[in-house]
Amino acid sequence: MNATADDGTPARLKDAPSWLINQVSLHSHRLVAESMAAAGARGYHYRLLAALEEFGPASQAALGRRTGIDRSDVVAMLNELSDQDLVRRSPDPADRRRNVITITPEGTRHLRHLDQVLAQVQDDLLAPLSPAERGELVRLLSALLAHHSGR
């Protein structure tokens, strides 16, 4: 994506990092959404399953905080995952009002498949970059994110 005055982009925007990041983000979001939909999933599903596999069973509230997903969306996505037997809800022994969510063996298999789907998205998104350039882009974006999120 090389923005030029010929594509209708105002010249003062074409080299603005914020505009470029936003344009690539829109493209990235579309690629992820389309690829996940083709795999019968959503990006939120991937985030929730990945958090459960990496950090273990968690409450719905903890999953929302870890994944950056709004609480009401967490509940809806967990309902979808539960309906597919990808996660299991069980009462928290320490607080019966709260559920603990656990990834199931089928959820782990599905996550492996989604890992492959997401890897292909990364390859498609970053196709024009060499492996070294991809690493540098990740390093730079990570530095920006760390700075702006206070880490």
Side-chain angles (χ1 to χ4, degrees):
M1 172 177 9
N2 187 3
T4 65
D6 293 342
D7 71 4
T9 302
R12 60 177 34 101
L13 288 178
K14 71 180 184 112
D15 292 325
S18 58
W19 185 85
L20 293 167
I21 289 168
N22 187 51
Q23 295 306 300
V24 173
S25 176
L26 292 170
H27 186 68
S28 173
H29 181 75
R30 183 184 55 76
L31 286 173
V32 169
E34 289 173 358
S35 296
M36 288 291 171
R42 301 174 190 248
Y44 280 180
H45 292 169
Y46 183 83
R47 288 159 62 179
L48 290 165
L49 292 172
L52 286 167
E53 187 192 49
E54 185 169 340
F55 300 109
S59 69
Q60 293 173 171
L63 283 170
R65 286 188 299 274
R66 268 202 185 111
T67 60
I69 301 172
D70 183 80
R71 185 181 355 191
S72 63
D73 291 331
V74 168
V75 171
M77 292 303 109
L78 289 175
N79 288 341
E80 291 178 7
L81 292 171
S82 181
D83 289 347
Q84 298 173 54
D85 195 34
L86 302 176
V87 299
R88 184 180 330 93
R89 283 186 173 109
S90 53
D92 184 341
D95 183 349
R96 305 292 277 172
R97 297 168 295 171
R98 181 171 42 194
N99 285 318
V100 173
I101 313 303
T102 306
I103 191 170
T104 65
E106 183 59 32
T108 299
R109 283 189 289 280
H110 188 60
L111 179 60
R112 294 289 165 266
H113 173 67
L114 296 180
D115 283 337
Q116 294 171 349
V117 169
L118 196 56
Q120 184 60 55
V121 168
Q122 305 312 306
D123 284 343
D124 293 346
L125 180 67
L126 303 175
L129 302 180
S130 71
E133 289 170 326
R134 291 176 184 202
E136 182 67 1
L137 178 62
V138 168
R139 186 188 71 72
L140 293 169
L141 290 172
S142 295
L144 288 170
L145 181 60
H147 173 79
H148 291 290
S149 62
R151 289 185 273 140

